Amino acid sequence: MRSTPHKVLGAGALTAAVVAALVLPGTPAAARPAAAPAACTPAQVVGNGGFESGTSPWSTSSSTVITSRSGQTAHGGSSYAWLDGVGSTHTDTLSQSVTVPSGCDAATLTFWLHIDTDETTSSVAYDKLTARIGSTTLGTWSNLDANTGYVQKSVDVSAYAGQTVTLSFTGTEDGSLQTSFVLDDIALDTSGGGAPPPGDSTRTPAAPSYTVDLSSDTSGTEWTGHESVTFSNASATALNEVYLRLWDNYHGTCDAMPVRVTNVTGGTAGAPSGACTALKIDLPAPLAQGQSATIGFDLGITVPSGADRFGHDGAYSFIGNALPVLAVRDGAGWHLDPYTDNGESFYSLAADFKVTLDHPSGLLVPATGTSTDTPGSSGRTVTTATASKVRDFAWAAGPFTRISGTSPAGVAVNVYSVSGISSSSAQSMLSTAKSAVDAHAGRFGAYPYGELDAVLDNNYWFGGMEYPGFVLDVVSSTALTHEIGHQWWYGIVGDDEYNSPWLDEAFTDYATDLALGKTGTNCWSSVSWASSAEKITNSMAYWDAHSSRYSTVVYGYGKCALHDLRRVLGDTAMAKLLKDYATAHWYGVSTTAEFKAAAQAVTSTDLTSFWAQHRIEG
């Protein structure tokens, strides 16, 4: 995310070194070598899912199925698939062969569907669209499902891992009154599976699964409801307690906490600690290795005023780090570090989230994960967001302007803008996001989080901030490229952000340079250390005491050290190192020692002096 200098720079002055984005941490698992290959290579396997690259590899019943003609509109871009809409007996088909990688425990088909009809019945399905994979029917929709806009559909197709099958859509009309089935932004994302993530087998609580139901007031600044989390103990040492991180209580006081947890079940709550950002929950009995437990609680969230990662800028609320998440216990004990506003403190393990947000229909609610909207009570909408293997969950709420598109590799991208952001700026940022997500994916592995939401506001003092599948940003192509890079370096490849901030910020700034075509030539020659204690690998405790140097050293010197390492190893070896390292730590936790070992393993050159020169310790 941000560093202190962002406070004094206008949006146009942001550079790669100072528009740092936020980053998240790591995942539990049995220990294994850092270089061990993952059994599943995450991928998006549908070709040309946005129909922006002609017709290939799709097969269609006629040349008019994939189109950009008037009469319907695309969900993103300019082209879409239009089945039927003739008003007489008619069948249209759309299909392609897809290979679902083996070893993956998650494979999800998503697509956006718009249905309009001239049928007047409210009870008879005259015209139908059927989606199939192989010979299996995934779903059927009809004229009874007509809607005014696009609705995203999501289907689990994990059973087809390791198979090559035909994905098909068939639309049929009867003899009168047209029904149009319009499809766009089709994707089939795979992830997970195989060996557990690498690292310290003592990291626990493991594999958290969060279920959250919240309802907002009319403004979207007050949210109340319930949260529960199920988890297991990965460590040989029993769990007697867990801790909830209530990070956003930093933005209030213990007498007026913005995040309030009450009526705890499944354990006994103690007194909040860490300026009320940590809440101990004693478990009713010790939880042995491999055992699971669930705790639940009522939750209240009050969003304070301010264009912050947790705050509201007038009618627009930004709700990052507000959901309580489990703290991590590893070989060093419980990580209960303080909140830092200078960077990030967040260290959490990859988790699953299902979050239901009931809100006024006038508010758009972009969120982590894949979202679907359904009607709620009068004047309200229920947004249900699901996300797998993410380290946190964030959302926003407000009367945003939204534009959407699909990257050439098939990632659905949505840009949400507050008032005052021009349409040309939003379109430029959408183009940047589509390019950046594909550039990073090409270097480090396919983007696994389904859609990607970017929420724009030039009043953010911090420049930009990252969450899984969701970023906050000013209008800056460099900043947005950086924040999207955090989807890999903190999101997918986690780290302890408080104790090792360089592992996400330096790596993300290096990735940003590569995406923007910058080679970092001679950038290490400008390095000038402020003291013998200053090191790229210092913790946020050090940088909070030396805040003016944080961005310069962690972002600037950190990325230059990686450029220097590339010159030592060679371009090809460095590219392979980072892609293999990301694959081996997919949904896991990176440490400085593991990265140094991985780098040393790809060269016969002794890197000891390199690490010393660049002040990379650990």
Side-chain angles (χ1 to χ4, degrees):
M1 150 197 140
R2 54 167 133 229
S3 54
T4 302
H6 297 177
K7 297 179 181 178
V8 296
L9 291 175
L14 296 173
T15 66
V18 297
V19 285
L22 272 168
V23 170
L24 287 153
T27 277
R32 62 170 178 172
C40 171
T41 300
Q44 195 293 105
V45 300
V46 170
N48 191 23
F51 308 109
E52 301 299 318
S53 303
T55 59
S56 180
W58 294 101
S59 297
T60 61
S61 55
S62 76
S63 60
T64 61
V65 169
I66 295 176
T67 183
S68 58
R69 69 186 189 273
S70 61
Q72 298 290 343
T73 58
H75 174 258
S78 59
S79 297
Y80 51 90
W82 184 352
L83 283 70
D84 298 331
V86 175
S88 60
T89 302
H90 187 81
T91 298
D92 274 327
T93 60
L94 173 75
S95 65
Q96 74 167 261
S97 176
V98 296
T99 299
V100 184
S102 60
C104 299
D105 62 14
T108 304
L109 173 70
T110 57
F111 57 92
W112 291 86
L113 174 63
H114 167 61
I115 303 173
D116 71 49
T117 186
D118 291 337
E119 301 283 2
T120 59
T121 179
S122 60
S123 59
V124 181
Y126 290 114
D127 310 316
K128 298 178 181 180
L129 175 74
T130 301
R132 295 184 179 89
I133 189 165
S135 60
T136 301
T137 297
L138 302 176
T140 300
W141 299 268
S142 74
N143 49 281
L144 300 178
D145 301 302
N147 48 292
T148 56
Y150 278 93
V151 175
Q152 190 176 45
K153 305 299 181 182
S154 179
V155 185
D156 182 359
V157 292
S158 304
Y160 290 86
Q163 298 183 41
T164 297
V165 289
T166 298
L167 171 65
S168 66
F169 298 87
T170 302
T172 58
E173 283 183 293
D174 71 351
S176 65
L177 299 177
Q178 74 85 27
T179 299
S180 296
F181 301 100
V182 189
L183 294 158
D184 203 358
D185 295 333
I186 302 171
L188 200 166
D189 292 284
T190 64
S191 62
D200 182 353
S201 62
T202 66
R203 290 190 187 109
T204 201
S209 181
Y210 296 89
T211 301
V212 184
D213 292 282
L214 296 174
S215 181
S216 82
D217 64 356
T218 56
S219 67
T221 59
E222 192 76 31
W223 299 79
T224 56
H226 189 79
E227 176 176 339
S228 65
V229 55
T230 299
F231 54 90
S232 62
N233 181 16
S235 171
T237 302
L239 272 176
N240 296 303
E241 73 282 326
V242 295
Y243 285 85
L244 294 173
R245 294 314 312 254
L246 314 181
W247 286 115
D248 281 336
N249 282 341
Y250 168 87
H251 298 278
T253 67
C254 288
D255 293 328
M257 291 185 284
V259 179
R260 302 170 300 280
V261 169
T262 56
N263 299 324
V264 173
T265 59
T268 303
S273 59
C276 294
T277 66
L279 180 65
K280 183 181 179 182
I281 308 291
D282 288 311
L283 300 178
L287 194 67
Q289 187 174 31
Q291 290 185 332
S292 297
T294 300
I295 59 172
F297 46 88
D298 291 337
L299 177 64
I301 298 170
T302 301
V303 183
S305 179
D308 208 333
R309 52 191 178 186
F310 178 60
H312 69 88
D313 184 10
Y316 303 93
S317 293
F318 316 107
I319 310 168
N321 306 112
L323 290 186
V325 294
L326 292 170
V328 177
R329 191 190 75 184
D330 59 20
W334 284 105
H335 286 256
L336 302 175
D337 301 303
Y339 184 102
T340 176
D341 211 26
N342 190 33
E344 289 84 57
S345 302
F346 316 123
Y347 176 23
S348 57
L349 303 182
D352 295 338
F353 285 83
K354 181 179 181 181
V355 179
T356 302
L357 302 168
D358 184 325
H359 57 88
S361 298
L363 304 180
L364 294 183
V365 181
T368 289
T370 300
S371 296
T372 58
D373 289 343
T374 56
S377 59
S378 178
R380 296 181 69 86
T381 295
V382 177
T383 297
T384 301
T386 56
S388 298
K389 304 296 191 296
V390 297
R391 302 182 191 279
D392 200 354
F393 184 97
W395 74 99
F400 296 102
T401 298
R402 178 179 64 195
I403 58 173
S404 301
T406 306
S407 76
V411 178
V413 180
N414 305 300
V415 171
Y416 295 80
S417 303
V418 304
S419 59
I421 302 290
S422 69
S423 60
S424 60
S425 291
Q427 287 289 347
S428 175
M429 293 291 272
L430 177 61
S431 178
T432 293
K434 292 190 292 185
S435 297
V437 71
D438 284 357
H440 295 315
R443 290 186 173 91
F444 311 123
Y447 178 76
Y449 296 142
E451 63 191 35
L452 172 64
D453 295 338
V455 182
L456 306 181
D457 187 339
N458 279 332
N459 290 331
Y460 297 141
W461 68 265
F462 49 86
M465 174 69 191
E466 72 283 355
Y467 297 96
F470 177 98
V471 299
L472 307 174
D473 222 311
V474 296
V475 177
S476 163
S477 61
T478 300
L480 185 57
T481 302
H482 177 100
E483 301 309 328
I484 292 173
H486 271 305
Q487 300 302 307
W488 283 263
W489 303 105
Y490 129 83
I492 297 167
V493 181
D495 64 287
D496 177 347
E497 292 185 302
Y498 188 83
N499 289 297
S500 300
W502 89 287
L503 287 171
D504 50 270
E505 297 299 358
F507 280 61
T508 297
D509 238 23
Y510 176 75
T512 301
D513 272 7
L514 297 182
L516 298 178
K518 299 179 180 180
T519 62
T521 303
N522 297 322
C523 68
W524 189 258
S525 63
S526 63
V527 167
S528 176
W529 301 105
S531 72
S532 60
E534 189 171 83
K535 300 175 179 65
I536 288 174
T537 47
N538 281 346
S539 73
M540 288 308 305
Y542 179 90
W543 298 120
D544 282 347
H546 304 82
S547 60
S548 66
R549 295 287 293 170
Y550 169 61
S551 177
T552 298
V553 176
V554 173
Y555 294 81
Y557 296 0
K559 75 170 181 181
C560 286
L562 293 173
H563 280 300
D564 258 15
L565 181 60
R566 175 172 51 84
R567 283 183 272 273
V568 171
L569 302 180
D571 290 358
T572 300
M574 182 67 168
K576 187 175 187 302
L577 166 66
L578 288 180
K579 190 160 191 175
D580 288 350
Y581 189 79
T583 298
H585 291 75
W586 206 262
Y587 301 139
V589 177
S590 171
T591 67
T592 298
E594 286 174 335
F595 179 71
K596 289 169 67 175
Q600 185 61 76
V602 303
T603 181
S604 59
T605 300
D606 187 342
L607 296 177
T608 302
S609 62
F610 178 92
W611 306 126
Q613 176 194 357
H614 293 81
R615 299 197 183 187
I616 295 173
E617 298 182 357

